[in-house]
Each structure stands twice: as C-alpha cells, then as structure tokens.
Amino acid sequence: DLIVRRNKVEEFCSFLESRASNVCILSGSAGCGKSAVIRCCCKDRGIEVVEYVAKIQQQFDRASSYESKLEAYEAFCSRAWMPTLEYEKNEHEKNSTTSLVVLDDIPTVVGEDQERRLVNATLGLVARSPKVVLAVTEISAKDTNEHYSSVGTWENSSIPKVLTMALEKFCNPTIVSLNPIPKATMAKHLGMICDREMVNMSKEGLQVLAEQSQGDLSSAILGLQFAARGLSTTGGGGSRRAPVRR
C-alpha cells in the first residue's frame, strides 16, 4: 500500500488520464514516495515506464570514451520516445497513453551553452512524447506543508531553474507536490512491516527510526533492517536493539 496521501495519488492519476497536459513535475523530499507513486499508478493502467537513470562513468576504463552527464542525458532524450507507425494503431490506441518517460537526476549545467543544450534536449523529448514526468527532489523542505503554485518560483529543488522557466512557457506542466512522510505515519507503517516480518521492536524504537529518517521512507526501512539484524540504532535515550523472533 502507498504511504502517500490519497489526494496526491489522485492528482497524479488525473494527469495520466488527462489530455490537457503531457508534462508533470512531481516534487518532494528524498524518500517521500515519488517513484512508488509513478510505479503503482502506471502499473494499474498498463503504462510502460521508460526512466532516465544517470549512469556512473568508469574513470579507469580506458577502452571506453568519456561521456559527460549532459551528453548522456541528450542521448537519452533523443532516443527515449521512438513513435511506431501510426497505421498500425487504431483510434483508441492513438488517443491512449501507453508509455511514460520519467526524468530523474537531471544533470547540473553551468553556462549558457550547457543550459541551452539541456533545455533543447528536454523540450524536444516533451514535444515527441505522450507523457513526461520530471521527478524533482526538494533540497530543503523546512515547511512540510509548502506547496509551489508556480514552477518558476522553485528555489530549493534539484531541477535547474532555467529548465523550469522553459517548461512553464512551453507547456504549462501539471504540478504535484508530495509532502515528507509524517513521523506518526512513518512509525505506524514501520510497525506494520515488523508485524509482517515477525520483528519484535518497541514503539519507542520505531519512533526513534521515524525521527531519524526525517520523512525518508527508504532511510527508515534501511534503519529497520539494521535493527532487525541486531545492530543498534542510537536515539535520544541511547542505543536500542530489535531482537528478531525465532
């Protein structure tokens, strides 16, 4: 089950089903469920997800030529959506969304030339693709109820500002902003995982994990895994252990 607010999931599903916009900027802090929302909503609708993942360049591999992150991004955008022959589709298939391109870890650019290349590659992909989602990680989320009404006003996100401004002018994207997972909700779901996996951990220990994760579900689950293996997690009251039931 998704831990994200139901209304936020419904907002994203509405984007998938709408013809009004083909671009969505899905924002939120690290580990708040952006990837889970995309994966679950697309799976339920039979939509194929094509995701951009920045590869790690092997610096010591002399046999291969070096490719910058921007070059890799441009190459992905140029080949991510290759439309099939239209005569092979009926009218229903032409009007339905069968694939979704997800852009995550967008490269950092410096200077007007790199900014122009980033914008051109992204807008070119947007112009050719049925649906595109930019998964944006908010660098700072002090106010968990903060909602950005305009793409151009984002100052604390991982997406370059020049790209947000270009998207706003080009296609008026749909904006879905996810809040960090509340501590109480985090502790509740960690407890559900413990019950399912037969891990005996106190409520106090779960609250410590929820506090330390700062709204990052992936971090909380990793901490729970360490605790379940008998490793200590340090909170305000010192170290705690989570014995596993035998």
Side-chain angles (χ1 to χ4, degrees):
D1 294 337
L2 287 174
I3 198 172
V4 181
R5 287 183 178 179
R6 182 181 296 274
N7 66 315
K8 297 298 181 180
V9 176
E10 292 174 349
E11 285 182 29
F12 185 74
C13 291
S14 296
F15 158 73
L16 293 178
E17 298 168 356
S18 172
R19 300 179 189 175
S21 174
N22 75 320
V23 178
C24 174
I25 298 184
L26 182 63
S27 70
S29 58
C32 71
K34 296 186 294 294
S35 297
V37 168
I38 294 172
R39 184 171 58 253
C40 292
C41 292
C42 288
K43 182 179 179 181
D44 290 344
R45 287 160 180 77
I47 298 175
E48 177 188 5
V49 177
V50 181
E51 185 174 6
Y52 166 73
V53 179
K55 64 179 181 180
I56 300 176
Q57 184 76 23
Q58 299 295 331
Q59 297 181 356
F60 303 103
D61 186 2
R62 297 182 180 180
S64 62
S65 58
Y66 176 76
E67 183 181 48
S68 69
K69 287 187 176 181
L70 180 56
E71 290 172 334
Y73 180 81
E74 288 176 313
F76 173 86
C77 289
S78 67
R79 66 174 183 268
W81 173 248
M82 298 295 182
T84 57
L85 296 177
E86 288 298 322
Y87 65 78
E88 295 180 349
K89 298 181 179 181
N90 57 39
E91 289 301 317
H92 173 73
E93 291 171 332
K94 289 180 182 179
N95 295 328
S96 64
T97 299
T98 57
S99 64
L100 176 77
V101 179
V102 178
L103 300 177
D104 197 355
D105 194 16
I106 296 175
T108 302
V109 292
V110 179
E112 293 183 0
D113 180 63
Q114 290 189 4
E115 289 179 347
R116 175 185 55 81
R117 290 168 58 190
L118 177 70
V119 170
N120 288 343
T122 306
L123 295 187
L125 174 64
V126 168
R128 300 190 306 272
S129 304
K131 293 285 184 180
V132 178
V133 173
L134 283 78
V136 180
T137 300
E138 295 173 6
I139 300 172
S140 177
K142 295 180 179 179
D143 182 4
T144 58
N145 294 319
E146 185 174 11
H147 179 76
Y148 299 93
S149 58
S150 172
V151 182
T153 63
W154 295 0
E155 298 293 342
N156 298 321
S157 69
S158 60
I159 184 173
K161 187 175 181 180
V162 64
L163 182 55
T164 65
M165 296 176 64
L167 288 170
E168 190 174 40
K169 294 178 181 179
F170 184 75
C171 58
N172 190 26
T174 298
I175 302 170
V176 179
S177 181
L178 305 184
N179 294 328
I181 301 171
K183 298 172 187 175
T185 304
M186 182 79 75
K188 175 184 176 181
H189 281 76
L190 290 176
M192 292 169 60
I193 294 174
C194 287
D195 291 341
R196 185 169 62 244
E197 300 297 328
M198 298 297 291
V199 175
N200 184 18
M201 191 170 190
S202 66
K203 290 184 178 180
E204 183 183 15
L206 294 175
Q207 291 172 355
V208 170
L209 288 174
E211 176 76 27
Q212 291 177 338
S213 68
Q214 297 181 346
D216 186 335
L217 180 59
S218 299
S219 175
I221 292 177
L222 182 61
L224 181 60
Q225 289 174 336
F226 275 109
R229 288 177 171 82
L231 300 178
S232 62
T233 59
T234 304
S239 63
R240 296 170 174 81
R241 292 183 178 274
V244 182
R245 295 175 184 171
R246 300 296 183 184

